[in-house]
Amino acid sequence: MRSSQNIILRIPRSVSKGLFSDRHGIQYSSTSKPRLTAEYCLDLVRQHDYENFLCTLLLPSQSRTSAFAIRAFNIEIAKVQDQVSDPHLGRMRMKFWEESVEKMYVEDTPNHPVAIELHRATKRHKLSKRYLKRLISARAGRLTSAAFPDMEAVEHYAELSVSSVYYLLLEASGIENIHADHTASHLGKAHGIVNLIRSVPYHAQQKVVALPQDVLLQHNVPHEMVLRTSCTAGLKEAVFDIAARAKQHLDKARSLSNSLPKSAYPLFLPAVAIDSYLERLRLKGFDIFDTTLQKRNSLLPFLLFWNKLVSKY
């Protein structure tokens, strides 16, 4: 068991001056200068969420900084499960972020670079507190169990933990459109399902099977088979079914494009990365343990830029 005193967040050199420790012994940059806190968020997204880092770079300048703050916040709470082995410590970290969100809305922001930058975004764009709290509660609920009983549970988790990010990005861009909301919901579900598929090799190393149990049972795939990282015919069929659900949501999100304001298109550029991964997975015969699937797609920056130029996602 790791004690909370051993949990140290990596801080970019540009913001490493002046550290302070919170009550859990976790260190943060004490600076509140806008340029440094914004750079911290950008570096955090670049290090831990490269595909969304590329997508966020292509957003309009007036919303880009806030978008990086939103994604950095999502990363901070998503990392909690990997940072601690004791669920109690994880709940303490989630409690810190719950309190931080509450304080942001009463002008009492904690001296943490992500909290500071997110507070600026909430003031600038009037971001909804409920979406920030959804992100925390969704992740907190996964601290004690990573298993999903069925695909409906996966979709519900994706709605809370991924679609909420898209709703916040829409708010940061000043977009109020029911079709954009529906697009965000479907794209978030597609994104969340793909994230689950991509996490299978990592979870297997942690002796965790996160794939929905109903799909595994349908294809007679025992947990031991997944943990041995052996992609049998049954497991490939299970992955196919899960990927097919992601593709359905992706197709639905794209079918709404003609009903959206053009300003919403850049927010949904992650659809390009999702589609690219699903195609690569198909070409590998749905062998989730094929190591090439864990590598970055070198063509992705070009694909994203091209789709932005032609107003597609």
Side-chain angles (χ1 to χ4, degrees), residues 39-107:
E39 186 176 336
Y40 180 95
C41 291
L42 184 147
D43 284 346
L44 193 66
V45 179
R46 175 166 48 200
Q47 292 172 21
H48 296 280
D49 194 1
Y50 185 70
E51 290 180 357
N52 283 320
F53 167 75
L54 294 176
C55 294
T56 308
L57 284 177
L58 295 174
L59 295 181
S61 58
Q62 61 268 27
S63 60
R64 189 183 307 131
T65 300
S66 295
F68 272 120
I70 291 166
R71 291 211 174 273
F73 171 74
N74 187 49
I75 289 169
E76 287 284 4
I77 56 176
K79 289 197 306 174
V80 170
Q81 191 170 12
D82 295 330
Q83 290 174 336
V84 299
S85 56
D86 183 353
H88 176 67
L89 293 178
R91 285 190 289 271
M92 290 171 64
R93 294 304 310 129
M94 292 300 186
K95 185 65 176 177
F96 166 80
W97 285 110
E98 287 177 2
E99 294 173 351
S100 297
V101 168
E102 292 295 337
K103 291 177 179 179
M104 288 176 203
Y105 287 86
V106 293
E107 303 297 326

Side-chain angles (χ1 to χ4, degrees), residues 219-283:
H219 294 284
N220 298 311
V221 180
H223 283 197
E224 293 75 15
M225 193 65 67
V226 181
L227 297 179
R228 286 204 297 266
T229 66
S230 176
C231 205
T232 61
L235 181 54
K236 290 179 180 179
E237 290 172 358
V239 172
F240 169 82
D241 284 353
I242 298 168
R245 187 73 70 91
K247 188 66 164 61
Q248 289 173 5
H249 285 295
L250 177 62
D251 290 345
K252 180 60 178 179
R254 284 177 157 173
S255 72
L256 295 168
S257 62
N258 291 334
S259 302
L260 303 182
K262 294 293 185 181
S263 58
Y265 284 20
L267 297 176
F268 300 133
L269 280 173
V272 177
I274 296 168
D275 190 34
S276 174
Y277 175 80
L278 289 173
E279 177 62 13
R280 290 165 62 204
L281 180 64
R282 184 189 69 81
L283 292 174

